[in-house]
Amino acid sequence: MFRPFPSLAARRFTPGLALWLPLALPLCGCELLRSAGMGPRADVSSAAGEESRAASLRPIPKPRDAFVVEVLFVERPAGDPLLGSELWSELAQPGELPATTRDLLEENGFRLGTCGSTAPRALQVLLARSVHEVLAVRSGESGDAPQTTLMSHRVALQSHGETELQTSPVYPACSIAIRSGGAARERRFEQARCLFRVTAERVQDGWVRLEFSPEVHHGELKTRHVAGNGGFVLKSTQEVAPFPVQRFAVTLNLGEMVVLSADPDRPDSLGRHFFIGAGEDEPLQRLIVIRLADMKRTDPIYSR
């Protein structure tokens, strides 16, 4: 399961971001990698240690239907122009998304778009600026730099497997307006956290379908019967409020990305609670980039 988005006191930079820095290189140059301590360097002791570990711990073979997704969290002040209309105008709408689903997601404050393995310029600028600000904080030279957080994950999945992607902090109490066809229905939750249940399906070599089901987990942790691989098992969980009407899916080719965030002008919406929060004096907006990073080829077996 993905770890929840870090709090403001959490680390602002993780080594996994080296996987994403090539998206920003056209704008910030290789010097950024070196200044972050992630550029290429000759380190004999490190290389020897890697060889020793490789000799003692052989890698576990991946299943034939396994693939890897990378997830990058970016957090910046809500209303930041880098998260605004220019970014979303350069991202494509998933062609497989029905118009009714797209309208419903927009009505409930969600924003999403896709792009190829080469990120559009607005996304490159966003990542490059965020990396520079995080490095400035690390070096003590932040000055008037805005609040910026970066965090990344790399997760291996199998076809028909699922994982949880938590996007919000825990709200002691919150009221969310669920909209459909112009009408709104308010739901109140306590000890609530917002997450996507992400189900993955391998379509064919090089292609994966990701289905995102928004859920709010709320209330006290209790021991409940939940569905497992071999039937129902006892597990400590919160109550789950699913929103199946807002469920959506995207199909990605190897290297392609899907970008998710919220519309800051939709107060009390489901999307705002997922990606911005409610009630803060200076709210921060989260943006998530998910990339299909690696995929094992399943060559057919021929027989005579």
Side-chain angles (χ1 to χ4, degrees), residues 52-233:
S52 175
R53 284 191 290 273
S56 59
L57 296 174
R58 296 185 180 277
I60 300 174
K62 293 181 182 177
R64 292 180 62 84
D65 61 349
F67 49 88
V68 176
V69 294
E70 295 169 356
V71 182
L72 177 69
F73 294 82
V74 184
E75 187 177 54
R76 301 183 64 85
D80 190 319
L82 293 177
L83 299 169
S85 58
E86 183 177 354
L87 171 65
W88 299 104
S89 66
E90 293 186 5
L91 294 169
Q93 288 294 321
E96 66 204 278
L97 206 63
T100 53
T101 301
R102 189 180 300 117
D103 292 343
L104 189 61
L105 290 171
E106 182 179 346
E107 193 176 4
N108 283 277
F110 289 103
R111 278 182 167 174
L112 73 150
T114 58
C115 64
S117 56
T118 301
R121 180 174 176 80
L123 182 56
Q124 291 184 31
V125 171
L126 168 65
L127 296 180
R129 187 78 58 81
S130 299
V131 170
H132 276 299
E133 290 165 359
V134 169
L135 293 178
V137 171
R138 290 182 63 188
S139 64
E141 301 175 355
S142 57
D144 296 329
Q147 180 85 42
T148 305
T149 304
L150 295 174
M151 188 174 180
S152 66
H153 300 276
R154 185 177 174 92
V155 180
L157 295 170
Q158 286 182 258
S159 189
H160 304 293
E162 67 175 34
T163 189
E164 292 179 358
L165 177 59
Q166 183 173 328
T167 63
S168 79
V170 176
Y171 300 113
C174 63
S175 295
I176 303 177
I178 311 300
R179 293 178 171 82
S180 179
R185 177 170 59 95
E186 186 176 283
R187 296 192 60 178
R188 183 167 178 81
F189 302 99
E190 295 182 355
Q191 296 301 314
R193 56 193 180 97
C194 302
L195 60 86
F196 288 105
R197 185 170 302 280
V198 184
T199 305
E201 179 185 359
R202 185 188 186 111
V203 179
Q204 62 184 48
D205 282 345
W207 294 88
V208 167
R209 182 178 185 270
L210 299 177
E211 183 179 79
F212 296 82
S213 301
E215 298 177 350
V216 174
H217 292 209
H218 61 100
E220 296 181 3
L221 277 173
K222 293 183 179 180
T223 302
R224 298 179 172 87
H225 284 90
V226 297
N229 292 333
F232 285 92
V233 296

Side-chain angles (χ1 to χ4, degrees), residues 276-298:
I276 300 177
E280 300 95 336
D281 293 333
E282 297 181 358
L284 297 174
Q285 181 171 347
R286 294 171 287 278
L287 177 139
I288 300 176
V289 185
I290 302 170
R291 175 166 62 177
L292 179 58
D294 191 18
M295 196 169 189
K296 187 172 181 179
R297 184 180 177 87
T298 56

